[in-house]
């Protein structure tokens, strides 16, 4: 009975970590431009704020008041040039302009070439997510084999656990595939 509890704990932990990997992939997808303005596009931007690398959303309010416009309202007006510099140096591909109080980012229509590049980026992010899920499976399989070697679990229990683990892996990889498919459509549709 103790072995089943250990196996269940291992499987629950693996499922939870796989879910977090899928969520992380979804979040990464949201930071990729689709032609529509979204505050999430700036989630990866960090500002060198007086020597401390600080996420942009901790220094300002980021919003999308229109379909093709993102605004950044800094809490500290003196940081506006630092924010502009960080956006220019990021991989967002948007040109900031400011009026002294507010940074504006116009989101242009995507060209066909840029759409194809973004699809490649999203596919790379999806592969990172799939690899993360598979690594969790590999680690859990290793732990299951260790339990069997130490005599804490039998072969049947190990096989049952491995089958459940594979189901969880397939489900999360499938979830990442669905997210990828919808993000690709969103990018190509604009």
């Amino acid at each position: 009975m103790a072995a089943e509890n250990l196996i269940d704990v291992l499987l629950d932990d693996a499922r939870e970590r796989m879910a977090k990997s899928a969520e992380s992939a979804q979040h990464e997808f949201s930071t990729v431009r689709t032609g529509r303005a979204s505050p999430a596009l700036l989630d990866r931007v960090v500002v060198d704020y007086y020597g401390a690398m600080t996420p942009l959303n901790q220094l300002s309010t980021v919003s999308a008041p229109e379909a093709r416009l993102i605004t950044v309202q800094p809490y500290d007006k003196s940081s506006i040039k630092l924010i502009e510099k960080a956006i220019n140096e990021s991989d967002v591909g948007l040109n900031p302009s400011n009026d002294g109080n507010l940074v504006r980012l116009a989101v242009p229509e995507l060209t066909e070439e840029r759409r194809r590049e973004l699809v490649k980026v999203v596919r790379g992010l999806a592969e990172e997510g799939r690899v993360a899920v598979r690594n969790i499976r590999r680690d859990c399989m290793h732990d299951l084999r260790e339990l069997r070697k130490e005599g804490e679990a039998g072969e049947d229990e190990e096989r049952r656990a491995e089958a459940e683990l594979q189901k969880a892996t397939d489900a999360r990889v499938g979830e990442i595939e669905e997210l990828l498919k919808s993000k690709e459509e969103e990018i190509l549709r604009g």
Side-chain angles (χ1 to χ4, degrees):
M1 187 64 195
E4 281 184 24
N5 286 345
L6 270 172
I7 288 173
D8 289 341
V9 167
L10 283 174
L11 289 175
D12 288 345
D13 178 58
R15 283 188 200 102
E16 192 176 312
R17 289 172 43 217
M18 286 177 183
K20 285 183 180 153
S21 292
E23 280 174 34
S24 176
Q26 183 174 14
H27 176 73
E28 287 298 315
F29 287 167
S30 73
T31 67
V32 176
R33 262 179 64 194
T34 58
R36 263 188 242 92
S38 166
L41 293 176
L42 301 179
D43 281 357
R44 290 186 294 187
V45 175
V46 289
V47 180
D48 185 354
Y49 188 62
Y50 300 109
M53 296 311 283
T54 310
L56 176 63
N57 56 14
Q58 289 181 13
L59 295 173
S60 59
T61 302
V62 180
S63 59
E66 299 170 24
R68 300 230 169 267
L69 180 70
I70 297 174
T71 59
V72 180
Q73 176 81 49
Y75 302 132
D76 172 8
K77 301 266 186 275
S78 69
S79 68
I80 206 157
K81 287 285 182 207
L82 299 171
I83 289 172
E84 230 178 351
K85 181 177 181 228
I87 293 169
N88 275 327
E89 291 173 354
S90 73
D91 63 354
V92 175
L94 298 175
N95 293 322
S97 65
N98 84 71
D99 61 10
N101 296 319
L102 190 70
V103 175
R104 287 184 179 79
L105 298 155
V107 180
E109 278 287 341
L110 293 172
T111 63
E112 194 56 39
E113 182 183 338
R114 183 70 177 134
R115 287 178 198 278
R116 283 194 291 273
E117 287 172 19
L118 290 173
V119 165
K120 286 179 190 170
V121 168
V122 171
R123 286 180 180 158
L125 293 171
E127 184 55 26
E128 286 173 21
R130 289 189 294 263
V131 167
V133 168
R134 289 186 200 118
N135 286 343
I136 293 164
R137 179 191 62 194
R138 183 198 61 217
D139 294 346
C140 190
M141 296 280 253
H142 174 77
D143 293 342
L144 290 169
R145 284 189 198 105
E146 288 298 311
L147 282 178
R148 196 189 77 219
K149 281 180 190 167
E150 292 168 9
E152 292 183 40
E155 251 182 83
D156 291 345
E157 293 162 309
E158 181 190 12
R159 268 200 298 275
R160 175 192 63 81
E162 285 179 359
E164 278 188 47
L165 186 61
Q166 188 60 49
K167 274 188 215 162
T169 303
D170 293 345
R172 290 303 173 186
V173 167
E175 182 182 334
I176 291 170
E177 287 302 314
E178 286 302 308
L179 292 168
L180 171 63
K181 201 162 73 174
S182 75
K183 188 64 176 187
E184 280 181 351
E185 286 172 10
E186 192 180 328
I187 289 170
L188 295 172
R189 235 188 7 247

